[in-house]
PDB file of all heavy atoms in Angstrom:
ATOM      1  N   ARG A  48      59.953 117.220 123.048  1.00  0.00           N
ATOM      2  CA  ARG A  48      60.333 118.439 123.765  1.00  0.00           C
ATOM      3  C   ARG A  48      59.685 119.670 123.042  1.00  0.00           C
ATOM      4  O   ARG A  48      59.617 119.609 121.716  1.00  0.00           O
ATOM      5  CB  ARG A  48      61.859 118.609 123.625  1.00  0.00           C
ATOM      6  CG  ARG A  48      62.383 120.075 123.995  1.00  0.00           C
ATOM      7  CD  ARG A  48      62.142 120.456 125.553  1.00  0.00           C
ATOM      8  NE  ARG A  48      63.038 119.728 126.355  1.00  0.00           N
ATOM      9  CZ  ARG A  48      62.944 119.658 127.717  1.00  0.00           C
ATOM     10  NH1 ARG A  48      61.970 120.366 128.208  1.00  0.00           N
ATOM     11  NH2 ARG A  48      63.757 119.005 128.427  1.00  0.00           N
ATOM     12  N   VAL A  49      59.115 120.464 123.717  1.00  0.00           N
ATOM     13  CA  VAL A  49      58.449 121.680 123.192  1.00  0.00           C
ATOM     14  C   VAL A  49      59.259 123.001 123.601  1.00  0.00           C
ATOM     15  O   VAL A  49      59.640 123.070 124.692  1.00  0.00           O
ATOM     16  CB  VAL A  49      56.965 121.876 123.670  1.00  0.00           C
ATOM     17  CG1 VAL A  49      56.400 122.975 123.035  1.00  0.00           C
ATOM     18  CG2 VAL A  49      56.233 120.599 123.475  1.00  0.00           C
ATOM     19  N   ILE A  50      59.565 123.870 122.625  1.00  0.00           N
ATOM     20  CA  ILE A  50      60.224 125.160 122.875  1.00  0.00           C
ATOM     21  C   ILE A  50      59.306 126.323 122.441  1.00  0.00           C
ATOM     22  O   ILE A  50      58.804 126.232 121.291  1.00  0.00           O
ATOM     23  CB  ILE A  50      61.540 125.180 122.097  1.00  0.00           C
ATOM     24  CG1 ILE A  50      62.466 124.082 122.562  1.00  0.00           C
ATOM     25  CG2 ILE A  50      62.198 126.494 122.351  1.00  0.00           C
ATOM     26  CD1 ILE A  50      63.722 124.005 121.736  1.00  0.00           C
ATOM     27  N   ASP A  51      59.135 127.256 123.257  1.00  0.00           N
ATOM     28  CA  ASP A  51      58.455 128.458 122.907  1.00  0.00           C
ATOM     29  C   ASP A  51      59.556 129.436 122.205  1.00  0.00           C
ATOM     30  O   ASP A  51      60.496 129.770 122.810  1.00  0.00           O
ATOM     31  CB  ASP A  51      57.959 129.240 124.121  1.00  0.00           C
ATOM     32  CG  ASP A  51      57.099 130.464 123.789  1.00  0.00           C
ATOM     33  OD1 ASP A  51      57.419 131.074 122.792  1.00  0.00           O
ATOM     34  OD2 ASP A  51      56.133 130.794 124.593  1.00  0.00           O
ATOM     35  N   ARG A  52      59.377 129.565 120.954  1.00  0.00           N
ATOM     36  CA  ARG A  52      60.379 130.291 120.149  1.00  0.00           C
ATOM     37  C   ARG A  52      60.559 131.719 120.532  1.00  0.00           C
ATOM     38  O   ARG A  52      61.620 132.352 120.241  1.00  0.00           O
ATOM     39  CB  ARG A  52      60.026 130.091 118.668  1.00  0.00           C
ATOM     40  CG  ARG A  52      60.055 128.726 118.220  1.00  0.00           C
ATOM     41  CD  ARG A  52      59.824 128.645 116.737  1.00  0.00           C
ATOM     42  NE  ARG A  52      60.774 129.341 115.966  1.00  0.00           N
ATOM     43  CZ  ARG A  52      60.707 129.822 114.724  1.00  0.00           C
ATOM     44  NH1 ARG A  52      59.470 129.558 114.129  1.00  0.00           N
ATOM     45  NH2 ARG A  52      61.673 130.406 114.157  1.00  0.00           N
ATOM     46  N   LYS A  53      59.553 132.284 121.224  1.00  0.00           N
ATOM     47  CA  LYS A  53      59.565 133.762 121.634  1.00  0.00           C
ATOM     48  C   LYS A  53      60.221 133.972 123.023  1.00  0.00           C
ATOM     49  O   LYS A  53      61.030 134.794 123.273  1.00  0.00           O
ATOM     50  CB  LYS A  53      58.243 134.372 121.559  1.00  0.00           C
ATOM     51  CG  LYS A  53      57.789 134.517 120.170  1.00  0.00           C
ATOM     52  CD  LYS A  53      56.311 135.382 120.075  1.00  0.00           C
ATOM     53  CE  LYS A  53      55.991 135.526 118.693  1.00  0.00           C
ATOM     54  NZ  LYS A  53      54.788 136.391 118.529  1.00  0.00           N
ATOM     55  N   THR A  54      59.808 133.050 124.000  1.00  0.00           N
ATOM     56  CA  THR A  54      60.273 133.157 125.365  1.00  0.00           C
ATOM     57  C   THR A  54      61.378 132.167 125.746  1.00  0.00           C
ATOM     58  O   THR A  54      61.984 132.277 126.790  1.00  0.00           O
ATOM     59  CB  THR A  54      59.129 133.059 126.285  1.00  0.00           C
ATOM     60  OG1 THR A  54      58.595 131.670 126.242  1.00  0.00           O
ATOM     61  CG2 THR A  54      57.960 134.033 125.892  1.00  0.00           C
ATOM     62  N   GLU A  55      61.616 131.183 124.881  1.00  0.00           N
ATOM     63  CA  GLU A  55      62.475 130.057 125.179  1.00  0.00           C
ATOM     64  C   GLU A  55      62.079 129.211 126.329  1.00  0.00           C
ATOM     65  O   GLU A  55      62.828 128.456 126.864  1.00  0.00           O
ATOM     66  CB  GLU A  55      63.962 130.560 125.437  1.00  0.00           C
ATOM     67  CG  GLU A  55      64.530 131.340 124.184  1.00  0.00           C
ATOM     68  CD  GLU A  55      65.988 131.683 124.374  1.00  0.00           C
ATOM     69  OE1 GLU A  55      66.498 131.446 125.433  1.00  0.00           O
ATOM     70  OE2 GLU A  55      66.605 132.163 123.394  1.00  0.00           O
ATOM     71  N   ALA A  56      60.765 129.294 126.612  1.00  0.00           N
ATOM     72  CA  ALA A  56      60.291 128.335 127.858  1.00  0.00           C
ATOM     73  C   ALA A  56      60.235 126.989 127.163  1.00  0.00           C
ATOM     74  O   ALA A  56      60.099 126.751 125.930  1.00  0.00           O
ATOM     75  CB  ALA A  56      58.911 128.840 128.185  1.00  0.00           C
ATOM     76  N   LEU A  57      60.323 125.867 128.069  1.00  0.00           N
ATOM     77  CA  LEU A  57      60.393 124.574 127.701  1.00  0.00           C
ATOM     78  C   LEU A  57      59.209 123.740 128.217  1.00  0.00           C
ATOM     79  O   LEU A  57      58.649 124.162 129.264  1.00  0.00           O
ATOM     80  CB  LEU A  57      61.674 123.861 128.159  1.00  0.00           C
ATOM     81  CG  LEU A  57      63.007 124.521 127.648  1.00  0.00           C
ATOM     82  CD1 LEU A  57      64.235 123.888 128.244  1.00  0.00           C
ATOM     83  CD2 LEU A  57      63.084 124.573 126.085  1.00  0.00           C
ATOM     84  N   GLY A  58      58.837 122.725 127.513  1.00  0.00           N
ATOM     85  CA  GLY A  58      57.776 121.819 127.950  1.00  0.00           C
ATOM     86  C   GLY A  58      58.006 120.434 127.463  1.00  0.00           C
ATOM     87  O   GLY A  58      58.953 120.265 126.570  1.00  0.00           O
ATOM     88  N   LEU A  59      57.217 119.487 127.853  1.00  0.00           N
ATOM     89  CA  LEU A  59      57.401 118.012 127.461  1.00  0.00           C
ATOM     90  C   LEU A  59      56.046 117.498 127.230  1.00  0.00           C
ATOM     91  O   LEU A  59      55.054 117.797 127.749  1.00  0.00           O
ATOM     92  CB  LEU A  59      57.991 117.119 128.589  1.00  0.00           C
ATOM     93  CG  LEU A  59      59.523 117.426 128.863  1.00  0.00           C
ATOM     94  CD1 LEU A  59      59.882 116.553 129.985  1.00  0.00           C
ATOM     95  CD2 LEU A  59      60.403 117.177 127.616  1.00  0.00           C
ATOM     96  N   LEU A  60      55.980 116.665 126.154  1.00  0.00           N
ATOM     97  CA  LEU A  60      54.780 115.858 125.777  1.00  0.00           C
ATOM     98  C   LEU A  60      55.049 114.441 125.975  1.00  0.00           C
ATOM     99  O   LEU A  60      55.831 113.790 125.265  1.00  0.00           O
ATOM    100  CB  LEU A  60      54.348 116.114 124.376  1.00  0.00           C
ATOM    101  CG  LEU A  60      54.013 117.558 123.951  1.00  0.00           C
ATOM    102  CD1 LEU A  60      53.753 117.736 122.416  1.00  0.00           C
ATOM    103  CD2 LEU A  60      52.890 118.117 124.773  1.00  0.00           C
ATOM    104  N   ARG A  61      54.381 113.712 126.913  1.00  0.00           N
ATOM    105  CA  ARG A  61      54.595 112.453 127.210  1.00  0.00           C
ATOM    106  C   ARG A  61      53.371 111.428 126.817  1.00  0.00           C
ATOM    107  O   ARG A  61      52.246 111.889 126.884  1.00  0.00           O
ATOM    108  CB  ARG A  61      54.862 112.189 128.670  1.00  0.00           C
ATOM    109  CG  ARG A  61      56.005 112.995 129.174  1.00  0.00           C
ATOM    110  CD  ARG A  61      56.178 112.735 130.655  1.00  0.00           C
ATOM    111  NE  ARG A  61      57.281 113.570 131.231  1.00  0.00           N
ATOM    112  CZ  ARG A  61      58.585 113.214 131.301  1.00  0.00           C
ATOM    113  NH1 ARG A  61      58.965 112.106 130.776  1.00  0.00           N
ATOM    114  NH2 ARG A  61      59.529 114.072 131.812  1.00  0.00           N
ATOM    115  N   GLY A  62      53.613 110.203 126.400  1.00  0.00           N
ATOM    116  CA  GLY A  62      52.563 109.287 126.140  1.00  0.00           C
ATOM    117  C   GLY A  62      53.004 108.144 125.271  1.00  0.00           C
ATOM    118  O   GLY A  62      52.486 107.078 125.398  1.00  0.00           O
ATOM    119  N   HIS A  63      53.942 108.427 124.342  1.00  0.00           N
ATOM    120  CA  HIS A  63      54.398 107.399 123.432  1.00  0.00           C
ATOM    121  C   HIS A  63      55.381 106.472 124.130  1.00  0.00           C
ATOM    122  O   HIS A  63      56.126 106.878 125.048  1.00  0.00           O
ATOM    123  CB  HIS A  63      55.060 108.011 122.169  1.00  0.00           C
ATOM    124  CG  HIS A  63      54.203 108.630 121.193  1.00  0.00           C
ATOM    125  ND1 HIS A  63      53.343 107.852 120.424  1.00  0.00           N
ATOM    126  CD2 HIS A  63      54.011 109.962 120.824  1.00  0.00           C
ATOM    127  CE1 HIS A  63      52.548 108.765 119.683  1.00  0.00           C
ATOM    128  NE2 HIS A  63      53.005 109.930 119.926  1.00  0.00           N
ATOM    129  N   THR A  64      55.348 105.197 123.735  1.00  0.00           N
ATOM    130  CA  THR A  64      56.187 104.162 124.307  1.00  0.00           C
ATOM    131  C   THR A  64      57.332 103.838 123.399  1.00  0.00           C
ATOM    132  O   THR A  64      58.211 103.051 123.823  1.00  0.00           O
ATOM    133  CB  THR A  64      55.431 102.905 124.564  1.00  0.00           C
ATOM    134  OG1 THR A  64      54.834 102.396 123.306  1.00  0.00           O
ATOM    135  CG2 THR A  64      54.261 103.120 125.545  1.00  0.00           C
ATOM    136  N   ARG A  65      57.401 104.422 122.226  1.00  0.00           N
ATOM    137  CA  ARG A  65      58.621 104.267 121.347  1.00  0.00           C
ATOM    138  C   ARG A  65      58.991 105.589 120.784  1.00  0.00           C
ATOM    139  O   ARG A  65      58.234 106.664 120.977  1.00  0.00           O
ATOM    140  CB  ARG A  65      58.218 103.325 120.108  1.00  0.00           C
ATOM    141  CG  ARG A  65      58.143 101.911 120.540  1.00  0.00           C
ATOM    142  CD  ARG A  65      58.274 100.933 119.287  1.00  0.00           C
ATOM    143  NE  ARG A  65      58.118  99.513 119.608  1.00  0.00           N
ATOM    144  CZ  ARG A  65      57.128  98.797 119.297  1.00  0.00           C
ATOM    145  NH1 ARG A  65      56.008  99.349 118.710  1.00  0.00           N
ATOM    146  NH2 ARG A  65      56.925  97.586 119.706  1.00  0.00           N
ATOM    147  N   GLU A  66      60.124 105.741 120.153  1.00  0.00           N
ATOM    148  CA  GLU A  66      60.625 106.981 119.610  1.00  0.00           C
ATOM    149  C   GLU A  66      59.640 107.555 118.621  1.00  0.00           C
ATOM    150  O   GLU A  66      59.187 106.832 117.718  1.00  0.00           O
ATOM    151  CB  GLU A  66      61.990 106.838 119.076  1.00  0.00           C
ATOM    152  CG  GLU A  66      62.553 108.193 118.509  1.00  0.00           C
ATOM    153  CD  GLU A  66      64.042 108.118 117.968  1.00  0.00           C
ATOM    154  OE1 GLU A  66      64.388 106.927 117.984  1.00  0.00           O
ATOM    155  OE2 GLU A  66      64.608 109.032 117.645  1.00  0.00           O
ATOM    156  N   VAL A  67      59.300 108.883 118.765  1.00  0.00           N
ATOM    157  CA  VAL A  67      58.306 109.468 117.808  1.00  0.00           C
ATOM    158  C   VAL A  67      59.095 109.496 116.389  1.00  0.00           C
ATOM    159  O   VAL A  67      60.192 109.940 116.351  1.00  0.00           O
ATOM    160  CB  VAL A  67      58.005 110.896 118.275  1.00  0.00           C
ATOM    161  CG1 VAL A  67      57.025 111.641 117.286  1.00  0.00           C
ATOM    162  CG2 VAL A  67      57.198 110.724 119.687  1.00  0.00           C
TER     163      VAL A  67
END
Side-chain angles (χ1 to χ4, degrees):
R48 166 68 71 187
V49 183
I50 301 177
D51 187 328
R52 298 182 59 199
K53 291 188 177 181
T54 66
E55 299 186 355
L57 301 177
L59 291 175
L60 301 175
R61 302 180 185 273
H63 286 293
T64 58
R65 292 196 178 109
E66 182 177 3
V67 173

